[in-house]
Amino acid sequence: TTGNTHCAKRSRTSHTRYARRSPSMSLFNDYIAKVYTTLNGDALFTGKVSESLSDITSFPMIWLEDGGTSDWSDKDYDGLEAIITLHIGSQYRGTKEIRTWMDKAHSLLHDASLTLTTEQSVLCRFLRSEIVTDSDGITRHGVMRFSLLINEVS
């Protein structure tokens, strides 16, 4: 493991079986696309999720950022821990709208068990969040970080 206390320990006896180490396993996969699809599939967020800040045309809006990856393998199993950062922008006076959106994103992603098109299993865990006011003095910016623990399944 990476030594992070927030990481769930792998259970070799749980209902999910992890594949033996395979040289063909690609650790860099479509986890961002899966998070995008999960968020965009919700009625509140449909059409409001972007992979780039430059794609934003109106508020409220969510954009995704890849926060980096680290190895989460051991001698028998390949794994990857990826960090995804959600940025939620709102120009609503006050924080009601942004808190509603952050709560919904949390309910969709925290403890979510996702399966990627590459047949890898992902456990998504919430790490932290904060709300700041952008330099324009109008836009509220919610930042949410999630850890995705990724393993190949057999």
Side-chain angles (χ1 to χ4, degrees):
T1 63
T2 63
N4 295 334
T5 57
H6 69 274
C7 292
K9 297 220 186 268
R10 288 181 225 208
S11 172
R12 305 288 190 236
T13 59
S14 70
H15 69 295
T16 303
R17 284 188 9 229
Y18 296 104
R20 299 284 295 158
R21 182 172 289 246
S22 165
S24 65
M25 179 184 172
S26 171
L27 291 179
F28 300 96
N29 48 50
D30 58 352
Y31 58 88
I32 290 177
K34 186 62 175 183
V35 170
Y36 176 90
T37 302
T38 300
L39 292 171
N40 202 50
D42 183 79
L44 181 64
F45 299 145
T46 300
K48 296 288 192 172
V49 181
S50 174
E51 292 187 60
S52 169
L53 177 58
S54 63
D55 295 338
I56 298 203
T57 58
S58 65
F59 289 94
M61 183 64 79
I62 296 177
W63 61 100
L64 305 175
E65 178 184 14
D66 187 337
T69 58
S70 59
D71 187 37
W72 193 59
S73 302
D74 61 26
K75 68 182 182 88
D76 297 319
Y77 300 90
D78 282 335
L80 180 73
E81 179 183 20
I83 304 297
I84 294 288
T85 304
L86 269 60
H87 297 271
I88 302 174
S90 170
Q91 293 186 336
Y92 179 85
R93 287 181 162 310
T95 61
K96 180 180 180 182
E97 181 176 67
I98 202 161
R99 289 184 188 282
T100 299
W101 277 51
M102 291 173 78
D103 185 55
K104 185 62 169 185
H106 181 272
S107 71
L108 290 170
L109 296 176
H110 178 62
D111 277 342
S113 182
L114 310 171
T115 301
L116 305 177
T117 59
T118 55
E119 295 303 312
Q120 290 170 298
S121 174
V122 178
L123 173 62
C124 186
R125 300 279 310 180
F126 171 75
L127 297 176
R128 65 183 304 258
S129 68
E130 61 186 318
I131 298 174
V132 296
T133 303
D134 284 354
S135 60
D136 65 6
I138 299 168
T139 307
R140 305 250 190 246
H141 184 166
V143 180
M144 302 180 75
R145 288 180 182 81
F146 291 86
S147 168
L148 287 76
L149 302 175
I150 304 165
N151 269 339
E152 189 173 30
V153 295
S154 58

